[in-house]
Amino acid sequence: MTRILIINGPNLNLLGVREPGIYGNSSMETYLETLRSRYSNYTIEYFQSNHEGEIIDKLHSEGFDEGLKGIVLNAGAYTHTSLAIADAISAINVPVIEVHISNVHAREEVRHRSMISGVCCGVIAGFGMDSYRLAIEAIKAR
Ligand code: DQA
């Protein structure tokens, strides 16, 4: 089965608990069940890390796999700081879609800049957890 990989960065292990007014009440695990039943023709894999280097290692280890159709990446705060993650995305072959739950452009100015947008295929932000589903639709349509 065709694979899609979702990677979540720092603090996104706390979805459902963390600032629910911004990020909602659903845990990622619960939301993944919804995604997996909706996209049962795909294998939706999930990886979360609070560590920049682990995210880079994951991009390297998966990013040359021809069976992987796309990577949905919510790099969390590393979005705004990590040239190293941007370089990793540039280095790999698998297309990467940048995702944010919140509309980062409606928030503090520090969140308006993304280090990774220019090396991703596209960006989806502001649709709550549905941002992940919209990214999967974008990967499917490619
Ligand atoms: C986020 C937005 C980032 O600015 C923030 O640091 C996050 C989550 C989002 O999904 O809205 O951790 O990527």
Side-chain angles (χ1 to χ4, degrees):
M1 242 191 315
T2 310
R3 295 164 56 227
I4 291 174
L5 171 64
I6 299 174
I7 299 179
N8 269 350
N11 301 305
L12 293 163
N13 54 311
L14 296 181
L15 284 175
V17 176
R18 172 194 186 198
E19 299 181 271
I22 297 174
Y23 299 112
N25 296 305
S26 174
S27 70
M28 193 66 195
E29 287 64 31
T30 302
Y31 185 67
L32 277 171
E33 284 173 25
T34 311
L35 281 180
R36 285 178 176 139
S37 65
R38 183 167 183 147
Y39 296 102
S40 51
N41 294 339
Y42 290 83
T43 302
I44 298 180
E45 292 170 10
Y46 178 60
F47 176 80
Q48 190 277 331
S49 177
N50 294 321
H51 305 277
E52 188 174 20
E54 284 184 6
I55 295 167
I56 293 165
D57 288 343
K58 190 69 174 174
L59 290 166
H60 291 177
S61 66
E62 301 283 351
F64 297 93
D65 185 332
E66 287 174 9
L68 183 59
K69 196 162 166 62
I71 296 173
V72 177
L73 173 63
N74 186 345
Y78 287 142
T79 304
H80 315 297
T81 62
S82 181
L83 183 59
I85 290 178
D87 283 349
I89 296 167
S90 294
I92 63 176
N93 297 335
V94 175
V96 177
I97 314 270
E98 176 183 348
V99 156
H100 302 285
I101 298 163
S102 64
N103 180 356
V104 282
H105 299 287
R107 300 181 63 192
E108 310 95 295
E109 200 165 337
V110 68
R111 297 182 204 274
H112 297 183
R113 184 185 69 158
S114 167
M115 299 295 284
I116 65 172
S117 296
V119 291
C120 289
C121 312
V123 184
I124 296 169
F127 298 98
M129 296 297 265
D130 207 33
S131 293
Y132 293 97
R133 183 189 63 78
L134 293 167
I136 289 173
E137 286 296 330
I139 288 170
K140 276 181 66 188
R142 277 175 61 89

